[in-house]
Amino acid sequence: MKDCRTGTQFVFVALGAAFGLGNAMRFPALCLYYGGAFVIAYVIVLAAFALPLLSAELYIGGRMKNFSRRPAGMCRAWGAVRDAACINSAAITIYYITIISLLAVRVCTFYGSINAGYPSDIPEATPFFAALCCCALAFMLTRKSQSRARLAALSVCMQVVFFAAMAVRGMAEEGSLSALSYIFRTDEGAFADCELWFSALGQALLSLSLAAGVMPCLASEMPEGSRPARFTAIILCANFVGGILSSIATLSLAYSCGLLDGITNSGIDNAFNIFPAALSAAFGRGAVAGVVGSMFYAVLTLTAFVSALSLVRPLFLRLTAELSARSAAMTLCACIFALGLPFSLGADYSVADYVCCNIVAPVVAACECMCVASAYLRKNAPLSRFFGAARRFTRLNR
């Protein structure tokens, strides 16, 4: 049953998945490290890889009346690929809850940390915020897409407005225009570096939530008669513009206060280590800096929560085939909290992050491409017969 009443609702729900922390925090770091070569490589990856994969995921999802069922024409392996993507995205949510909790703690402590010298981290509060986050996830999972679309729209709009304001503030600093050179300067030799292309590919998978079961899941709620190609163009363009905007804001602020050297490829490290100093340097200490900093972490918290909601929804829909919506939401979120509790108590989640995002996600993406190609060959009989004849010819000549 299609849940989104209008295409606008679906666009905001999808943008909520495509405007995550990776787009806001990691994209600027990659621009700093590779310069304009990364921007060009990212555009090429979007056009050559993300565009067809996202189109395929939206097309497949749009044909599903029920996410738990295999759409007509898809190979039997699609069910296993879909389930692997759902489990992997839920695994990402397990440690993502800790990140959301740490950001929420900063919302509460930022004002006092820069104005009164209070600690910015309260480790004892992290499990409490993790429990609140899981309860909020369980509640939002059972809501209709209209409610999720409003939440995603709030997240996207707040992120755009806040980063635009920060970009204006950063560019107002003397000499900060030089920060733009880190985005647009291009070293032709960088294109021969395989790490550049792997980084661009990983950024596309991460920021667009591709090969995670998210987009087919969301597309299964598209209104009847929707055109996936139009939604694909909107999502990709918005993702790219958001990355450039966050890069201008981040690099200009960091440049103006001499913190460019401290920016790393870890978006979380940048959020916790670079921005407090950058905001303090840009706005000084006092009420203004405290309020702006708290708002910044509130925006990041909401952004991360919307991403987590998108990541966990595919597995939730799979569970609703066996359980009621309320039971599935409560069971899933209770398991996420229990499995994520060690991370909330201080365990290192970097290994889990690397395995889920750098190993499992590319494998799932490759399997999705093969399933889509198989479905395409079945649909196009002449092409299918051509490849079948080619295989028979190869066997006869062995």
Side-chain angles (χ1 to χ4, degrees):
M1 179 178 180
K2 304 300 182 182
D3 198 11
C4 291
R5 295 180 180 176
T6 65
T8 303
Q9 287 181 354
F10 171 74
V11 166
F12 276 118
V13 170
L15 286 181
F19 266 73
L21 289 182
N23 205 45
M25 296 284 99
R26 190 168 179 265
F27 194 99
L30 293 172
C31 286
L32 174 62
Y33 187 77
Y34 292 108
F38 172 75
V39 178
I40 296 173
Y42 190 68
V43 171
I44 293 174
V45 168
L46 287 182
F49 182 80
L51 175 63
L53 182 57
L54 178 58
S55 299
E57 290 192 345
L58 294 184
Y59 176 73
I60 292 170
R63 296 172 60 192
M64 296 181 185
K65 295 182 178 180
N66 188 325
F67 182 71
S68 299
R69 298 178 181 176
R70 176 165 56 94
M74 292 300 296
C75 62
R76 294 181 180 180
W78 168 253
V81 173
R82 176 201 56 204
D83 291 345
C86 294
I87 294 172
N88 188 54
S89 60
I92 294 174
T93 309
I94 290 173
Y95 63 83
Y96 220 69
I97 295 298
T98 300
I99 297 173
I100 298 172
S101 303
L102 293 173
L103 291 170
V105 169
R106 289 296 180 98
V107 175
C108 301
T109 61
F110 186 84
Y111 189 97
S113 66
I114 68 168
N115 291 310
Y118 296 146
S120 59
D121 295 321
I122 307 176
E124 298 81 3
T126 305
F128 171 73
F129 280 104
L132 288 181
C133 182
C134 288
C135 291
L137 276 179
F139 175 77
M140 289 303 302
L141 282 173
T142 59
R143 301 299 96 187
K144 294 292 185 181
S145 64
Q146 291 88 334
S147 300
R148 291 182 283 113
R150 294 190 193 100
L151 185 65
L154 178 64
S155 171
V156 171
C157 292
M158 287 181 64
Q159 189 178 153
V160 170
V161 169
F162 199 86
F163 275 104
M166 290 176 63
V168 171
R169 181 66 183 87
M171 298 304 294
E173 294 290 328
E174 183 178 357
S176 60
L177 286 175
S178 301
L180 293 180
S181 65
Y182 291 98
I183 304 177
F184 299 110
R185 79 176 192 275
T186 302
D187 180 9
E188 295 180 359
F191 293 109
D193 186 359
C194 293
E195 288 294 329
L196 168 66
W197 298 99
F198 280 120
S199 297
L201 178 60
Q203 178 65 22
L205 288 173
L206 177 66
S207 63
L208 289 167
S209 298
L210 296 175
V214 173
M215 289 303 175
C217 167
L218 298 179
S220 66
E221 301 177 341
M222 282 194 305
E224 296 287 354
S226 298
R227 292 182 294 175
R230 180 167 63 92
F231 293 142
T232 300
I234 293 173
I235 294 169
L236 291 182
C237 290
N239 172 268
F240 179 73
V241 171
I244 294 295
L245 180 61
S246 63
S247 298
I248 294 174
T250 301
L251 298 183
S252 60
L253 277 178
Y255 182 86
S256 65
C257 56
L259 294 173
L260 278 181
D261 292 338
I263 294 180
T264 69
N265 285 344
S266 172
I268 303 304
D269 290 343
N270 297 333
F272 291 145
N273 300 327
I274 298 300
F275 270 96
L279 291 171
S280 299
F283 296 97
R285 295 183 180 274
V288 174
V291 171
V292 171
S294 296
M295 288 178 58
F296 170 73
Y297 283 108
V299 171
L300 292 186
T301 302
L302 181 60
T303 298
F305 178 79
V306 172
S307 295
L309 181 61
S310 301
L311 287 168
V312 80
R313 186 163 178 80
L315 188 56
F316 164 73
L317 290 183
R318 291 289 291 122
L319 291 177
T320 54
E322 306 295 336
L323 303 171
S324 66
R326 181 175 298 180
S327 298
M330 293 178 63
T331 301
L332 180 58
C333 291
C335 291
I336 288 174
F337 175 73
L339 294 173
L341 188 57
F343 300 128
S344 299
L345 296 175
D348 185 12
Y349 53 79
S350 59
V351 175
D353 182 23
Y354 181 83
V355 171
C356 291
C357 297
N358 293 9
I359 297 178
V360 179
V363 172
V364 172
C367 292
E368 279 191 357
C369 291
M370 288 188 289
C371 288
V372 173
S374 174
Y376 180 79
L377 291 175
R378 289 184 180 183
K379 183 178 179 181
N380 293 269
L383 194 60
S384 180
R385 286 195 296 269
F386 170 78
F387 282 104
R391 286 194 299 269
R392 289 192 296 273
F393 178 79
T394 303
R395 294 194 195 101
L396 291 174
N397 288 275
R398 283 179 180 176

